[in-house]
Amino acid sequence: MKKYSVVGHSVPQIDANEKARGVAEFVSDLQLAGMLYGKILRSPHPHARILHIDPSKARRLKGVKAIVTAEDTPQIPFGPRTEDWNIFAVEKVRFIGDEVAGVAAVDEDTAEEALDLIRVEYEELASVFDPIEAMQPGAVLIHDKERNIVSEFKLNKGDVDRAFQECDVVHSERYYTNQVYQAYLEPMACVAHFDPTGKLTLYLATQIPSMTRITYAKALGLPLEKIRVVVPYYGGAFGAKMETNLHLAAAVLSQKTGKPIRMVNSREEDFMAGNPRVPMYIDLKVGAKKDGTLVGKEVKIIGGSGARAIYSMAIVATACYRVDSLYRFEHLRTEGITVYTNTVPTSCFRGFGNAQMTFALESSLDMIAGHLNMDPAELRIRNGLKTGEVSIHGWQIGSSGLEECVQKAVEASGWEEKRRKKRFSRGIGLACCNHVSGNRAFSREFDGGAGIVRIGREGKVLVYHGESDMGQGQRTVFAQIVAEELGVALDRIEVAPVDTDISPFGLGSFATRGTVFGGNGVKAAAQDAKRQILEVAAEIFETIPSELEAKEGKIYVKEEPERNLSFEKVAEICLLRRGGSPIVGTGFWVPDTVLPDPVTKYGNVAPAYPFACQIAEVEVDTETGHVNVLHYTAAHDVGRAINPQATEGQIHGGVTQGIGWALMEDMVVEKGKVLNPDFRDYVMPGPLDIPPIKSILVEPIDPNGPFGAKGIGEPALNPSPAAVANAIYDAIGVRFTELPITPEKILKKLGSALDIGHLHRKKF
Amino acid sequence: MKYPLKLSVNGVLFELEIPANRTLLDVLRNELGLKGTKEGCGAGECGACTVLLDDEPVNSCLVLALQADGRRITTIEGLSGAGKLHPVHEAFIHHGAIQCGFCTPGMILSAKVLLDRHPNPTEREIREGLVGNLCRCTGYQKIVEAVSSLVNRKD
């Protein structure tokens, strides 16, 4: 494997110092001159007609500067996929938390007090909360969509019925993956400022700065050029921080008052009106031959989108068919239905549907391996896609480290020995996953990444990109790539915050795409900057650029290294010879991905595909039902780790969220109301719930990733719930098909299992 | 109605007049501009607003500012005097214990107190000592590694 001087080396995040000292300014820390504070009046009803809104009493409260409702907006329906959004509710509210009105005041307390004084008359309507009930004929309609169906996804290949007949084992199961909350530590936040020229600057915590700008321009009825999006530091996202009405409410209030408006969700609001994970019913049937060859897969998914579709239909589609490029299924029948309900709109959360389906598929494969008396690891290796293969949907696997992931995880976890020395209540379980780095199907308009690299007089390099660092360490990876290309030390590089007035257009940080797309974009820009600086250096040394080398902060003649100048000196000469112009390198990268056919879905959605294998070892306390995760091994094909320390950090974080989902996390929703909208009742992993995680980086060097890198964000979580569920099955012989697997569920199942004598009770 | 309040914050004395319902977190952030102390939940559950009140870690969102009258407060800004990093800062940076950074100030202060009181904690004791601080990015592992690296340090 080729070695580099900056790429491939563990470095702290380039902004870790500011974050450690508490001086990094997050969105909720921003303070602009004359700034007011906004709050949203939210619907207390899951479904109701708005008869009348009377803000007069609230308006008279001292310190209140503006109150806005749908009447103060252009009332243009909008949305990232389906136009079922309004900035504030028009005629109807559709979930508890739906935005009804906005208040701007001199401080947050006053704004909250004003919310209580706004009188709203509602006529309550029938509501429906479960997607299966919502799609029954006669169910109340939430939007004007027949049977509340947002969309249906269908995909059939081969002859699945015949294939099942010819299988030696066919396993059928219904799974349910619940609604979980991303729980980033900084709630959703923004500052909006309409300046006197009519230009709106939005300081947003968003993963998709350029895309929100387009969606918001439409919602506000503004030309695109009147909107500027800036992305300061923000405290995590995990898929949730895309479009949100919070940003638009702030924009409308700023337009009304002429003042900057800061809006920050309370934690409760963030639970009730954020974008939690799409819950899914998954009916899965998988057939295999007795040698373990997987043959057919039939799946029917019903996903609940909540009261707005957002990206839920794409998430359900992903759940339907992404795993077909993990294993070699030849026969498929697939149906995915996305359904409105009167609950909080659901959307992206690390894994984008693939996490839901991976739980189901990897649980079923565990059962099939059991039926066939086959090592579950062997079953995965036998069926897993290898480097150079093209999947049934046309996905070109440029590199696959799946087999190596399985082998290394098996070895590091002591899999074989632990399976041999079985004892009741202790178990070990394995699960794999694939994913994408980028998703051609998600953004139909184009695919690609771009960067700008500016070198100033002092030789300081400033990198601009259009993606979004939510804390994962993207800025650092981009800085490492540019430092490597320019042959300078990492501390010469600064990465600018995304500002749509300056930065390139970027699709943003989702689909595990940042490293591959943004990385290739800034790499191309750095190469362009290097070409320019070498041209000037060639004039100085009276040679041609190809005779020069840029390395270790110096530019020198290859054959005569003593003829050299510092990078800074050449940058200065460059600027002085070029009328004061800094070097500005621009570059872009367009992968040869293929937009999937609308009917057959045949295409090639990503330039690179990551793979993983994770192994959990658990101890189940049969008295309390508590599951203790004892050991955890996670082997990930990351192509090449640009920053191994950060890559491991992503794995640790993803596994932890996955264990949380498997064992404890659950949004308890009753009649559309979230009953546990706080961190006391929404339990997620603390430091004592997670064992040390052994992370293994598998680096097959991808042909398309920058320096061979692929993404890591989502695959870090995808297999974890199944690995834990499979370990629990190994421990106590009970298969859990619904998440989370709580002590109550375990005791209930264990009780019945013990009663019918299937298991030997532990002796005390 | 406003009440007088005297606070010693990071060694500097402040005299303020504030309403009785203001939290210490609110006063630190909005009156004194110390934005390093973060608000993650407003209910004492996440630990992002941890500060030291007379060397005792507290969730500043649960402390009324007037309860801190006449007392000594250390925030994250007070841990790095004149740009010099505290060893806990350095360990967090070096070990990759910081991702989004929103839990970091509170986590660092809790880690500092833990090490001040138990200079030689086991891994389990480190995890127990940080149980009041949630982190959603790191899975805690590199945080625990950072704190472990400071066990038995000689400064």
Side-chain angles (χ1 to χ4, degrees), chain A residues 631-662:
Chain A
H631 301 285
Y632 207 97
T633 307
H636 283 261
D637 164 9
V638 297
R640 178 200 297 275
I642 306 256
N643 184 359
Q645 185 185 70
T647 311
E648 286 165 12
Q650 283 290 297
I651 294 170
H652 300 154
V655 167
T656 300
Q657 284 178 346
I659 292 174
W661 188 16

Side-chain angles (χ1 to χ4, degrees), chain A residues 470-589:
Chain A
M470 60 192 100
Q472 75 276 48
Q474 187 180 71
R475 283 186 194 98
T476 308
V477 161
F478 292 170
Q480 285 178 279
I481 288 172
V482 171
E484 189 68 52
E485 285 295 330
L486 295 178
V488 299
L490 188 61
D491 65 8
R492 302 309 299 147
I493 316 284
E494 202 175 302
V495 180
V498 176
D499 177 341
T500 57
D501 271 3
I502 304 165
S503 307
F505 185 97
L507 290 173
S509 296
F510 57 87
T512 307
R513 68 184 294 287
T515 295
V516 172
F517 284 77
N520 271 318
V522 299
K523 188 168 186 265
Q527 285 165 348
D528 186 45
K530 185 177 173 181
R531 179 187 56 76
Q532 296 179 48
I533 203 166
L534 289 187
E535 272 172 19
V536 174
E539 286 171 24
I540 302 167
F541 292 118
E542 296 174 331
T543 179
I544 51 170
S546 60
E547 295 298 314
L548 298 174
E549 184 86 80
K551 226 174 175 177
E552 288 164 12
K554 286 194 170 67
I555 293 173
Y556 58 89
V557 181
K558 277 183 205 165
E559 300 297 319
E560 304 162 81
E562 65 285 358
R563 291 180 66 203
N564 68 71
L565 283 170
S566 70
F567 181 82
E568 285 80 3
K569 189 69 198 165
V570 180
E572 185 184 52
I573 295 170
C574 229
L575 179 133
L576 297 177
R577 286 191 183 182
R578 303 192 339 169
S581 171
I583 292 170
V584 180
T586 62
F588 62 87
W589 179 74

Side-chain angles (χ1 to χ4, degrees), chain A residues 205-460:
Chain A
T206 182
Q207 299 171 233
I208 48 168
S210 303
M211 301 298 280
T212 47
R213 182 167 171 254
I214 293 172
T215 309
Y216 294 172
K218 170 154 195 199
L220 294 164
L222 289 173
L224 202 52
E225 70 211 43
K226 289 288 183 191
I227 302 185
R228 170 180 169 224
V229 174
V230 180
V231 184
Y233 287 109
Y234 65 104
F238 313 112
K241 290 179 180 169
M242 312 280 251
E243 298 86 353
T244 167
N245 267 345
L246 184 82
H247 302 160
L248 288 162
V252 174
L253 285 167
S254 181
Q255 198 166 28
K256 189 91 170 175
T257 57
K259 303 281 186 192
I261 305 285
R262 187 168 87 199
M263 288 188 98
V264 184
N265 269 349
S266 70
R267 187 53 72 178
E268 183 183 6
E269 285 180 289
D270 217 273
F271 269 96
M272 64 198 275
N275 296 306
R277 193 185 285 281
V278 179
M280 292 185 195
Y281 294 96
I282 302 173
D283 286 316
L284 178 64
K285 191 170 170 185
V286 181
K289 300 278 193 192
K290 62 172 174 266
D291 66 357
T293 306
L294 296 174
V295 181
K297 184 196 110 193
E298 182 178 7
V299 63
K300 182 170 179 179
I301 297 177
I302 297 170
S305 79
R308 283 176 206 134
I310 320 184
Y311 298 103
S312 57
M313 72 302 278
I315 292 165
V316 170
T318 296
C320 280
Y321 86 121
R322 185 168 292 174
V323 291
D324 306 341
S325 299
L326 170 59
Y327 302 121
R328 262 172 247 106
F329 293 105
E330 286 171 35
H331 304 276
L332 303 168
R333 184 186 293 134
T334 311
E335 189 181 4
I337 306 173
T338 310
V339 189
Y340 285 122
T341 57
N342 289 116
T343 57
V344 54
T346 61
S347 195
C348 312
F349 185 169
R350 206 173 201 167
F352 199 74
N354 199 33
Q356 286 91 321
M357 185 61 193
T358 298
F359 168 65
L361 179 66
E362 292 297 293
S363 297
S364 286
L365 292 195
D366 210 52
M367 297 306 281
I368 287 174
H371 283 298
L372 296 173
N373 204 15
M374 190 174 180
D375 183 341
E378 171 58 27
L379 180 72
R380 268 64 172 205
I381 290 175
R382 174 178 291 266
N383 292 284
L385 262 66
K386 293 184 174 21
T387 299
E389 279 192 76
V390 177
S391 82
I392 189 166
H393 302 310
W395 298 15
Q396 296 163 27
I397 311 301
S399 65
S400 166
L402 179 64
E403 185 171 343
E404 194 182 337
C405 285
V406 176
Q407 285 164 345
K408 289 203 161 149
V410 159
E411 198 177 311
S413 64
W415 170 258
E416 279 163 14
E417 198 198 337
K418 281 172 180 164
R419 277 168 51 83
R420 259 198 318 274
K421 294 183 183 162
K422 240 272 7 79
R423 74 172 171 83
F424 184 69
S425 85
R426 196 156 170 156
I428 189 163
L430 171 152
C432 294
C433 81
N434 67 331
H435 212 72
V436 293
S437 278
N439 185 356
R440 186 69 186 88
F442 190 78
S443 45
R444 305 184 73 82
E445 201 176 40
F446 88 108
D447 209 6
I452 301 171
V453 170
R454 180 193 190 278
I455 307 170
R457 176 172 181 159
E458 68 294 341
K460 185 86 188 177

Side-chain angles (χ1 to χ4, degrees), chain A residues 19 29 648 685 687 693, chain B residues 35 38 99 127 140-142:
Chain A
K19 289 174 177 175
D29 299 331
E648 286 165 12
I693 296 157
Chain B
K35 301 279 180 84
K38 305 297 181 194
Q99 288 191 29
R127 289 180 183 267
Y140 306 100
Q141 185 149 328
K142 291 194 182 291

Side-chain angles (χ1 to χ4, degrees), chain A residues 12-13 16-17 19-22 24 26 28-31 109 181-187 234-236 238 262 267 349 470-472 645-646 648-650 652-654 656-657 665 678-680 682 684-688 690-694, chain B residues 21-22 26 29-30 35-43 45-46 48 76-77 80 83 85 89 92-96 98-105 108 123-124 126-128 130-142 144-145:
Chain A
Q13 284 198 16
N17 182 301
K19 289 174 177 175
R21 290 189 292 130
F26 286 72
S28 54
D29 299 331
L30 295 181
Q31 191 94 40
D109 284 353
Y181 169 64
Q182 293 87 347
Y184 33 80
L185 263 279
E186 183 185 34
Y234 65 104
F238 313 112
R262 187 168 87 199
R267 187 53 72 178
F349 185 169
M470 60 192 100
Q472 75 276 48
Q645 185 185 70
E648 286 165 12
Q650 283 290 297
H652 300 154
T656 300
Q657 284 178 346
E665 293 186 35
D678 55 65
F679 289 147
R680 191 189 61 222
Y682 184 89
M684 59 186 199
L688 286 169
I690 303 298
I693 296 157
K694 210 179 283 174
Chain B
N21 65 350
R22 303 282 295 274
D26 181 21
R29 282 179 60 82
N30 298 319
K35 301 279 180 84
T37 308
K38 305 297 181 194
E39 177 167 359
C41 72
E45 287 149 10
C46 76
I76 191 69
E77 290 90 348
S80 48
L85 294 175
H89 281 133
F92 269 61
I93 294 169
H94 178 73
H95 286 270
I98 302 169
Q99 288 191 29
C100 87
F102 201 78
C103 76
T104 304
I108 284 179
E123 194 211 303
R124 171 87 192 175
I126 292 170
R127 289 180 183 267
E128 281 168 0
L130 299 176
V131 84
N133 294 76
L134 290 174
C135 169
R136 193 59 161 170
C137 296
T138 65
Y140 306 100
Q141 185 149 328
K142 291 194 182 291
V144 173
E145 286 169 13

